Amino acid sequence: MSYRTVSCILSFLLALAAAPSAIAQAPSVSPCQSAPVTVLPLEEMSASGNARLCVLPERLRARGVLNDLVPGNAYTVWWVYIDQPGECQGGFAACVEAFFLDANPRAVFGLMDSGIASRRGQIYFEDTLNGMDPTRNAQVWYLVFGHGPADRSDGRRLARQLLTPEDPNVGAPFLGVEGEPTGYPVAEAVFTVR
């Protein structure tokens, strides 16, 4: 073996031996953050839970649990993305008019997950939004809508309960929403992208 080969092997082994201590000394920054699920003051009901958001390279991953829901009722959980939240920091109840009720709303939202509350009043939810690269200081909300008792007698009606907001302000007419809203905001979790 040549001197150069031995030298390269020794350099590699020394670097390898030093790597664990360098890694141990580096501060670990988690790409995930947690937030409580809080009830919105718009409806007289209780809801609680925990939510988690992971901001990964070109991907957002959501996970959580909702508690204290009405057993047998249908619920949807929505992604809400607000790129420039500076004008409103108060969550859904405070920001609904400014960010949602406009021809070109600042809040962009789409379905994350849905389900029917168990006998214990729980729903677990999760989703991954691939390709998303959020702006620093943008807000990501998980917005929970209630849809009343799950209508298992009509497949189309149940699909609307589990796939649409059932609110004419955000769904008419193409999502089959007519007249008074039957979907209503229940709770939220709010995250600020770091």
Side-chain angles (χ1 to χ4, degrees):
M1 225 184 265
S2 72
Y3 174 77
R4 180 180 246 170
T5 305
V6 171
S7 177
C8 285
I9 292 172
L10 284 175
S11 296
F12 174 76
L13 291 174
L14 285 172
L16 192 61
S21 63
I23 291 170
Q25 292 172 3
S28 65
V29 177
S30 173
C32 300
Q33 52 183 305
S34 296
V37 174
T38 57
V39 68
L40 290 167
L42 306 173
E43 294 288 326
E44 291 184 22
M45 67 176 301
S46 64
S48 63
N50 294 302
R52 187 165 176 84
L53 172 70
C54 297
V55 180
L56 304 165
E58 295 186 14
R59 184 169 35 139
L60 295 178
R61 189 169 58 219
R63 178 175 287 176
V65 61
L66 300 170
N67 300 309
D68 305 316
L69 301 174
V70 179
N73 275 15
Y75 294 90
T76 51
V77 183
W78 299 84
W79 288 103
V80 178
Y81 178 79
I82 302 172
D83 196 60
Q84 303 286 329
E87 290 182 22
C88 187
Q89 297 290 332
F92 181 77
C95 304
V96 66
E97 190 169 335
F99 286 165
F100 289 86
L101 305 179
D102 188 69
N104 185 18
R106 292 188 180 174
V108 179
F109 79 104
L111 183 63
M112 177 190 293
D113 206 346
S114 61
I116 298 170
S118 70
R119 283 180 269 186
R120 294 175 35 195
Q122 285 187 317
I123 291 178
Y124 292 90
F125 64 90
E126 65 181 304
D127 193 21
T128 300
L129 187 56
N130 289 310
M132 187 66 185
D133 190 13
T135 305
R136 186 177 172 90
N137 296 320
Q139 284 189 351
V140 176
W141 302 352
Y142 302 167
L143 183 58
V144 181
F145 266 58
H147 300 271
D151 188 348
R152 295 178 189 266
S153 67
D154 182 344
R156 185 173 65 165
R157 172 79 182 107
L158 183 60
R160 284 194 179 131
Q161 287 180 302
L162 297 175
L163 292 172
T164 75
E166 291 194 295
D167 185 338
N169 292 313
V170 294
F174 303 110
L175 294 178
V177 179
E178 297 178 27
E180 292 297 312
T182 54
Y184 48 93
V186 171
E188 68 183 349
V190 178
F191 301 89
T192 299
V193 177
R194 298 184 279 212

